[in-house]
Each structure stands twice: as structure tokens, then as C-alpha cells.
Amino acid sequence: MPGNQAIYTRQLHSGLILVLAVTEDGKTLATGGSQGTRLFDTKTMKELKRPAGAGTRGHTSSLHWARQTDEPHDVLYFGTQSGTWACWRRGDDGFEETFSKQITTSGEITGLSFDPSKNILCICSRSDIVQALKILKNSVNGKWSASSIFSNEIAGLAPRAITFAGFDSSGDRDIVAFGSGHNGPVATLSGSTGKWKGDWMAVRSSSADVDWKEGVLCLNDPYFGPGLFRLADEAKARSFEVPTETEGEPYTTDACFGEKGRLIVAGSDHGIVYVFDARSGETIQKLDTKKSKWVKAVTMAEVAGVPTIFAAHTYRDEGYQDIFVWKRAQSLLIGWYQVEIFLKTLVVLGCVAFIYQNLVSAGMIQKIVFKLPRAIYGK
């Protein structure tokens, strides 16, 4: 398929890469893995100074950028395989570490989420722990602190991801934890107590991403690929096939929404990043990393207004890893969301034709220029 070459590749990242996350403004990429947490400028892919390496904390297993009250910049929270979570904030001389704490019991931290309306951080771990903390700033000395709201063990859940949901009738904001058990339980917990409020069975998942605006959930089944679920009726709406080529147990990979929920992007065990149309289910593009290697970590963001896909190799034998970056480019390939853009463009062109016919001849306007939308990722 033409146009699927990465715009550029970062090849100086040593150690396993397990997770990627980009700031809301698209300017900073965080990577997590055996070398701890690292930071990159997304425009140049040059590495930024970081406060600390992996050390005794172990591999970084989860990342979450948050927009926090009384904080002008994005804040990075990350968790490690030893059960430590930490917080980095951007200061005058780069990032600085504000927190480094251990969860109630040791165990790999698999998910983080932040509620900016109440400055609450929630954490889940492979040891079945779900924990919520209030993040507070001292009004006198400006220092931040974290106080526990609850820390509960939910047996058998083995959560892979966690997020905040809507507010209930009492004003309490629920927490949703996505389990990795055989049936992939999706559990709703009280945001104030952590108590179990309900659950439903989905699929065994290695990652989860929620689009609350569209009311859909993407769960990535390591055996079959991503599945799209409707939150309203908890039904599976569509499947997206990602083949597995490695014998034995499949490798876990990430899948995420992109372009305001129009796309689903997924990694694989054979060096291909799959891009799907979320509405039709069709495969829009297969982005080839040119090596038949495990691609676990994938994420999407807008960089300088351009939708961008980030992915990384995850070698079993460590060594230097590759980070790939694909940006939206023009193409003749058309998906359902592009049809929608085309139809809207036709309406606009009709209006312009009317304006031209009725006003240009009168000398009221002279020139109108249109820029067609870009369509696919690559050069």
C-alpha cells in the first residue's frame, strides 16, 4: 500500500518500550519501559531531560498526562512494575519529580486516570488493587501532596486499565475498571468509596480506550483484535481483525481511538500497525515498520494540528528500539468518515457557487481558495 512509510524514526531508545503517551497539546511524548520513563519533543523527537531513571522502581508500565487545577502545564503520572507511582511536573528548568509513592500492596501498576474537576488520581494494579487519591496544593508554600481516599482489593478483577465515568445522582463520579480475566469484566466502582456498583462481561482485553462523547469503548482482545462496544447497552458493535503470527500465547498490544473517534489504531506481533475506520470496520491502512517485531505500544495525538500516530517496537532481547511517527497525508483511499467530509464539502461548494453567481459578477468578492482535507498516513 503506497504512502505508508514513517515520516521519521527515533532509533536511539534503549530497552523495552511498553507504553506511549502524548500531551493534550501534542508537544511532548512520554515513553515507558525497562529504562523507566523518558520524554521527547514530538516535532524533533529529541530527548528531553528527565528527573530520574528506572532505578529500583523497575519498568514503567503505565503513563497518563493530566491537566490539573492550579497547574499551567501538563502533568505526567506514571506507574511501575514494582507498584510505585510518581508525578513529574514541568518547571523552569525542565521536568521535576513531585511524588514517588508505593501503592498499598506491591504489584504492577496497569492503569492511571485523573479527574481534573476534583483533582483525584485513580490507580489500578495487577494485584487487584484499585486506589484513589486526592491531589492537593498547599496555598502557603505551593507544595503538592497526595492523601488517600480509598484503597480496595477487588478479587479476580486483574484490571488492565481504569478511567473516570460520569457523575451519578449523588454527585459522585464513578470509576470504571477494565478486567483482564477470561470474560473481561468491566466493573463500575463508587468514586468515593471504591465499592463495587455493577459489572458486565465483555472480552479478555490487553488494553482499553473510551470515547465518552460517542458512547463507545474499544477493548483489544489479544487473540482476535480490537472490539467496539456501545456503552449504552453494553453490546459489541463491531470487530476489527488483527492477525497473530507468533506461536503460543499471543503478545499483548495496545489499541486506541484517533481523530475524534473516527479511527481505531492497533499494534501487532509482526511489525504492522493497523488503522481501521471505526464506523465501517474497514482496514484503511497497514503501516509497516519493516521489521517483523512486536509492536505493543501505540497512541494517537494531534501535533501542530496534524493527526499523528506513534508506535514503538518492543524487542524481547532489549537492545535499541524504534519509535515510529506517521502523520496524516493526502491519499485517494476513502473511508466512511471521508465520505462524510466529501458530502459536507459538496454542500459548501454549492453555497460558494451560489455566492459566486450572485456576488462575484457584481464585483463584491474576487477570489475564494479551498484546501482539500488530507486523507491517509504516510508521505
Side-chain angles (χ1 to χ4, degrees):
M1 187 178 293
N4 66 352
Q5 299 299 308
I7 299 300
Y8 47 82
T9 306
R10 176 75 183 181
Q11 296 179 309
L12 298 177
H13 195 303
S14 59
L16 235 64
I17 301 175
L18 300 172
V19 61
L20 301 171
V22 183
T23 54
E24 187 178 319
D25 61 12
K27 294 182 179 180
T28 307
L29 168 71
T31 70
S34 60
Q35 297 297 311
T37 303
R38 301 172 73 170
L39 302 164
F40 295 85
D41 182 300
T42 56
K43 285 188 177 181
T44 63
M45 288 305 290
K46 291 183 178 179
E47 187 165 6
L48 305 175
K49 184 179 179 181
R50 57 176 176 166
T56 58
R57 298 168 177 169
H59 296 11
T60 293
S61 53
S62 57
L63 296 165
H64 182 75
W65 288 102
R67 298 308 300 268
Q68 198 162 296
T69 305
D70 298 327
E71 189 68 24
H73 304 291
D74 291 285
V75 175
L76 178 63
Y77 289 96
F78 64 89
T80 73
Q81 287 188 331
S82 67
T84 300
W85 68 272
C87 174
W88 289 357
R89 287 184 166 79
R90 194 191 301 269
D92 295 334
D93 299 320
F95 284 85
E96 58 186 13
E97 186 164 297
T98 307
F99 297 114
S100 178
K101 298 180 179 294
Q102 183 77 28
I103 59 173
T104 306
T105 59
S106 61
E108 177 187 342
I109 293 178
T110 54
L112 299 158
S113 189
F114 191 81
D115 176 8
S117 68
K118 295 185 176 181
N119 270 15
I120 294 176
L121 175 72
C122 63
I123 302 170
C124 65
S125 77
R126 193 180 293 275
S127 56
D128 289 337
I129 294 295
V130 176
Q131 188 171 357
L133 304 106
K134 180 76 172 180
I135 309 299
L136 300 169
K137 183 177 183 180
N138 188 299
S139 59
V140 178
N141 59 25
K143 292 184 177 180
W144 292 87
S145 62
S147 59
S148 179
I149 298 173
F150 66 79
S151 180
N152 294 346
E153 181 178 354
I154 304 175
L157 182 61
R160 296 291 305 183
I162 196 165
T163 187
F164 284 94
F167 293 92
D168 63 17
S169 57
S170 67
D172 180 22
R173 191 171 187 184
D174 289 338
I175 293 171
V176 180
F178 304 95
S180 57
H182 178 69
N183 292 318
V186 179
T188 301
L189 311 174
S190 165
S192 59
T193 65
K195 291 184 177 180
W196 191 289
K197 297 180 68 173
D199 66 87
W200 55 283
M201 299 300 166
V203 296
R204 183 198 305 260
S205 62
S206 60
S207 71
D209 195 13
V210 184
D211 186 334
W212 292 109
K213 183 178 180 181
E214 296 297 326
V216 289
L217 163 67
C218 176
L219 292 175
N220 195 25
D221 187 325
Y223 288 88
F224 303 106
L228 186 70
F229 293 81
R230 294 188 299 267
L231 294 171
D233 57 7
E234 303 171 354
K236 190 174 186 178
R238 192 166 292 109
S239 296
F240 307 86
E241 184 179 359
V242 174
T244 58
E245 297 185 3
T246 304
E247 295 183 0
E249 285 291 312
Y251 291 165
T252 60
T253 57
D254 294 340
C256 65
F257 287 112
E259 298 197 19
K260 299 179 180 179
R262 290 192 292 259
L263 302 181
I264 288 177
V265 182
S268 72
D269 66 359
H270 49 274
I272 301 294
V273 176
Y274 290 81
V275 184
F276 300 101
D277 186 307
R279 296 184 182 180
S280 68
E282 68 174 314
T283 303
I284 294 177
Q285 196 169 3
K286 297 178 183 179
L287 303 173
D288 194 349
T289 67
K290 301 302 181 183
K291 291 183 179 179
S292 184
K293 296 288 186 178
W294 180 25
V295 180
K296 179 191 183 299
V298 297
T299 191
M300 276 205 69
E302 286 202 2
V303 178
V306 180
T308 305
I309 295 172
F310 297 86
H313 279 150
T314 304
Y315 296 169
R316 287 292 191 184
D317 54 0
E318 298 267 334
Y320 287 100
Q321 312 298 306
D322 298 319
I323 300 175
F324 297 88
V325 182
W326 290 274
K327 293 185 178 181
R328 194 91 138 76
Q330 189 172 356
S331 170
L332 296 177
L333 296 177
I334 297 177
W336 282 109
Y337 71 93
Q338 292 165 278
V339 172
E340 180 182 354
I341 293 174
F342 176 71
L343 292 175
K344 290 180 179 179
T345 303
L346 286 181
V347 173
V348 173
L349 289 175
C351 294
V352 171
F354 174 81
I355 293 172
Y356 182 86
Q357 182 178 0
N358 290 274
L359 300 181
V360 171
S361 58
M364 296 178 66
I365 59 176
Q366 297 180 351
K367 186 177 182 180
I368 299 175
V369 178
F370 290 95
K371 292 184 178 180
L372 296 177
R374 294 180 174 182
I376 137 183
Y377 289 83
K379 290 184 178 179

